Amino acid sequence: MGGGPLDQEERLLCILPFDEPKEITARLREKFPKLSISFINMGSMTDEDVYRDKTILATLSALPPNPADCPELELIHVFSAGTNHISKHPIYTDTKITLTTSSGVHGPQIAEWVLMTALVHSHKYNRLYELQKQHQWGRPQVGGDYHSVRDMVDQRLGVLGYGSIGRQVGRVAKAMGMDVVAYTATPKDTPEKKRDNGFIVPGTGDPDGEFPSSWFSGLDKASLHQFLKQDLDYLVISVPLTKETTHLLGKDEFDILKKKQTFLTNISRGAIVDQPALVAALKEGKLRGAALDVADPEPLPSDNPLWSAPNVIITPHISGVGTAYNERAFAILELNLLRKQLGEKLVNVVNRKRGY
């Protein structure tokens, strides 16, 4: 996306589910003197004419009803990693307004959630916590359950979708002594292709793609199955939800994973997994367990059989939230404001054809 001179006037509208973070907006005004900022808490949004003269929009989901309502809009920065929730909106389908995402801000906290739930499962923590609530010390059964804990060293982690989140998961797993293998839509067969060109929280991730011991790629089932056949002890799903990834994992895939009784973790979107097939795989012991921060649908109805599936950990789509989220999302916007003015390539630009 091209830019203008450094003194070009920009009109930024923020419609977000929180009150204005004045320290952040003050910093933006100081850094960009020609930038005017309007901030609306989306909970109090009433006037749909607010988009008319704006050149930049920062939003989670609020968009102009129609392209005619935003004739000067050049850039929309979305405060989420994905854009599947707005992919059917006419602003997405019928315009060429540049879209950028907040991909990259979630890696640290989601990687911690992935590790936390894996350890809760492998160390039998839920059972220990129940003993604590009952004021019971408990004793390991000789050769029994509490003696069956295995550490992460030399176990193999498959990361399905080696983007910003997957790269931080890979970094943490490598620090735990695990072997990491990665799967991407397109081949990463050169050092340049393995690099992460998106936003990276300093000191995190895998900027040069150095952690995976092997890479797999493809958009077809045969390629996916070849990846799943790599004796995976853990599988982390971190691909975006698109038409191609909907129900990407189902009965056939769980039949492959049963060889190692893989532990499945999904921090992406619930619809990437065929949920009834997942429940069946857990009940039949094809999977060691599952940690799910997403479900299909959300909220998950109280009578859904997923709740009572064996060895499952379910949380309400919170793995990516944290106190640093807003600061980091605005940091991406700040970086792109500067790049836009300098006429440089923006980071985290959405490829509408690919859906992310």
Side-chain angles (χ1 to χ4, degrees), residues 232-249:
L232 306 179
D233 297 288
Y234 291 85
L235 173 64
V236 174
I237 302 170
S238 57
V239 293
L241 178 62
T242 64
K243 182 175 66 174
E244 290 75 22
T245 63
T246 299
H247 287 186
L248 183 64
L249 295 174

Side-chain angles (χ1 to χ4, degrees), residues 300-350:
L300 187 65
S302 60
D303 60 350
N304 191 285
L306 185 63
W307 287 111
S308 55
N311 299 318
V312 66
I313 298 170
I314 301 174
T315 58
H317 207 147
I318 47 74
S319 64
V321 300
T323 57
Y325 189 107
N326 294 340
E327 176 68 36
R328 290 172 181 164
F330 270 108
I332 299 174
L333 175 60
E334 182 176 336
L335 174 62
N336 277 336
L337 286 172
L338 180 59
R339 290 192 171 204
K340 183 175 185 293
Q341 287 189 338
L342 295 174
E344 296 178 353
K345 184 178 180 179
L346 306 188
V347 300
N348 291 5
V349 175
V350 174

Side-chain angles (χ1 to χ4, degrees), residues 4 25 43 50 68 99 105 141 156 169 183 189 281 287 291 307 334 351:
T25 52
V50 293
L99 294 166
V105 307
Q141 301 168 345
R156 178 167 291 167
V169 172
Y183 189 91
D189 48 9
L287 299 175
W307 287 111
E334 182 176 336
N351 182 325

